[in-house]
Amino acid sequence: MRDVAVVAFAQTVHTGHDTGLAEPELLLPVIDEVKRATGLKRFGFTVSGSCDYLAGAPFSFVSALDAVGAWPPISESHVEMDGAFALYEAWVRLQHGDIDTALVYGFGKSSMSDIREIMTLQLDPYYLAPLGLDQVSYAALQAAAVNADRAALDEIVRRSRADGRANRYALDLPDPAGEEFEVEPLRPYDVAPVTDGAAAVVLAAGDRARELAGRPAWITGIAHRAEPHYLGMRDLSRSVSAADAGRAAGVGKGRVDVAELHTQFSHEEPILREALGLSGDVTVNPSGGPLAANPVMATGLIRVGEAARRILDGSAGRTVAHATSGPCLQQNLVAVLEGAVLETSA
C-alpha cells in the first residue's frame, strides 16, 4: 500500500442563506487556496462530491468544473455523495501508483431548497419514500431508540455552537433555547442548520507529500461500511457499520487526540463515540462540527480536512475523521490521520 496524506485543506466561510454565488463561484476561492498552499497548478486526478437534487439540475458537477479548469484535459470523476466519499475514491486511485496527487472537493447550497424533502426523494422509491418520512423523522426514531439524556444532548449542542462561534468558517449560532419539538424527541437546535458552502482537499502520495507539506497528515487507515437501507432490519440504538469501519481503519490502535464526527443530529455523537471506542478525553468536533455548519455534500469532507488541519499545524498527533450517508447513520466512512508514518511508499 502506498502512503497517502492530506497536504492541503480549504473551505468557504459558510452561510445560512443564499449569497447569490453559483456553485463554481463558491468553489473557485477554495481551489485557488489549495493550489497556492501546495504550489500545484494541475493534479494527477480530480474527483468531486455533490448532489443534483440540491442544484435542481442533472450533471450539476459538470458546471462546477469551471472552477477547476478542464483544459488541457484532466482525469476527473464524481460521486453523487458527500466529498468524503470522493476522497475515498481518490485514495484508491493513488494506490495505483501512476499518479502522485489528487484534488478532492465537495459543495452544496441547501438554502435554495427543502433539504428534508430532497433527502426523502433519495430514499427507496417503492417502500420508504411513499411513507413521507424525512431525515429528521427518521433521526427522531433513532433518538428515541437511544433514549439519550436531554441535558447531555443540550450540552453537545451548546458546546458545538460555542466552538462554531470561535471558528470563522462556521455559522454564528446562539446557545440552544426553547422547549418546542422539531420532531419529538428532537428540538430544532438538535438538527444541523441549513448551510451553503464548499471545501477542497489535496492528497499526495509518498515523497511527493513530503515535498508539498512540512508535516503531512498521513492517512494511516481508512474504511467504509454500510448497513441495510431499511430501518426495521437495524438496531437504531447503535451503529454497527461505524464500529466495523472504525476497527478496519485502526481507530483503537493508538491514542486519539481529536475526532471530527459527521453528526447532523445531537444524539448521533454518543452513538458514534461508543461505536468508535472514543474515550471521554477525546476532543470531539472542536471546529463546531455539523451542528455549527452543515454544507451538505461537503460536511463529511470538512471533517477530514479539519482532522488533517490539526496534524498539519502540529496541534495534534493522531486524529479521526468520520463521514456518513443515508438514514440514521446507514453508511459510515472512518479515516485515521497521523503526523508520522513509515517511509514505505513506492
Side-chain angles (χ1 to χ4, degrees):
M1 299 290 285
R2 301 184 83 197
D3 295 331
V4 173
V6 175
V7 295
F9 164 59
Q11 61 182 312
T12 56
V13 175
H14 308 306
T15 64
H17 60 279
D18 178 28
T19 60
L21 296 178
E23 284 83 352
E25 294 173 303
L26 275 177
L27 280 167
L28 186 59
V30 297
I31 291 175
D32 283 347
E33 184 176 339
V34 295
K35 285 182 176 179
R36 286 194 301 271
T38 59
L40 297 173
K41 295 183 178 179
R42 291 178 63 82
F43 304 88
F45 183 57
T46 298
V47 59
S48 61
S50 66
C51 176
D52 285 352
Y53 285 99
L54 276 179
F59 303 104
S60 60
F61 71 93
V62 175
S63 63
L65 286 171
D66 288 343
V68 179
W71 184 264
I74 62 174
S75 174
E76 187 270 342
S77 183
H78 171 261
V79 299
E80 191 75 6
M81 295 180 75
D82 189 285
F85 297 89
L87 181 139
Y88 187 87
E89 180 180 344
W91 179 85
V92 172
R93 180 66 183 84
L94 283 164
Q95 297 303 319
H96 292 191
D98 59 324
I99 61 168
D100 294 323
T101 61
L103 170 66
V104 185
Y105 60 92
F107 60 94
K109 294 182 62 176
S110 51
S111 68
M112 301 293 288
S113 56
D114 184 336
I115 191 64
R116 292 170 66 171
E117 182 176 338
I118 284 174
M119 291 306 175
T120 301
L121 293 173
Q122 291 188 314
L123 295 173
D124 174 271
Y126 301 104
Y127 297 103
L128 296 182
L131 296 176
L133 294 177
D134 59 28
Q135 63 173 359
V136 179
S137 300
Y138 281 123
L141 289 174
Q142 186 174 48
V146 174
N147 194 27
D149 178 67
R150 181 69 255 170
L153 297 184
D154 287 349
E155 175 57 25
I156 288 170
V157 179
R158 187 209 62 76
R159 186 202 74 226
S160 298
R161 291 188 169 192
D163 289 341
R165 289 193 294 272
N167 176 3
R168 71 184 188 92
Y169 299 102
L171 304 183
D172 184 6
L173 300 172
D175 285 340
E179 298 296 321
E180 72 277 7
F181 291 107
E182 186 70 24
V183 179
E184 193 172 358
L186 295 178
R187 303 195 188 281
Y189 53 76
D190 290 313
V191 182
V194 170
T195 312
D196 291 358
V201 162
V202 176
L203 298 182
D207 290 339
R208 193 71 173 115
R210 299 179 183 94
E211 294 170 2
L212 296 175
R215 191 171 191 265
W218 298 101
I219 301 174
T220 56
I222 187 168
H224 170 219
R225 299 290 187 271
E227 294 175 65
H229 197 63
Y230 299 100
L231 303 189
M233 301 175 68
R234 295 159 54 192
D235 177 358
L236 295 183
S237 67
R238 60 197 185 103
S239 178
V240 174
S241 56
D244 287 348
R247 281 191 294 270
V251 173
K253 293 181 178 179
R255 171 186 167 81
V256 176
D257 299 317
V258 171
E260 282 284 343
L261 307 180
H262 193 170
T263 50
Q264 298 176 86
F265 303 93
S266 59
H267 72 274
E268 292 178 341
E269 182 173 314
I271 293 175
L272 290 169
R273 271 188 176 272
E274 180 179 357
L276 298 176
L278 301 177
S279 61
D281 62 349
V282 175
T283 302
V284 172
N285 289 347
S287 65
L291 291 175
N294 184 40
V296 175
M297 298 298 143
T299 309
L301 182 62
I302 291 170
R303 308 282 67 78
V304 179
E306 288 284 1
R309 182 174 63 82
R310 295 179 183 277
I311 302 292
L312 290 163
D313 66 15
S315 60
R318 190 170 188 266
T319 62
V320 168
H322 162 267
T324 190
S325 182
C328 298
L329 300 171
Q330 184 225 351
Q331 300 185 50
N332 292 279
L333 184 150
V334 177
V336 176
L337 300 101
E338 300 187 44
V341 70
L342 294 176
E343 298 189 13
T344 58
S345 299

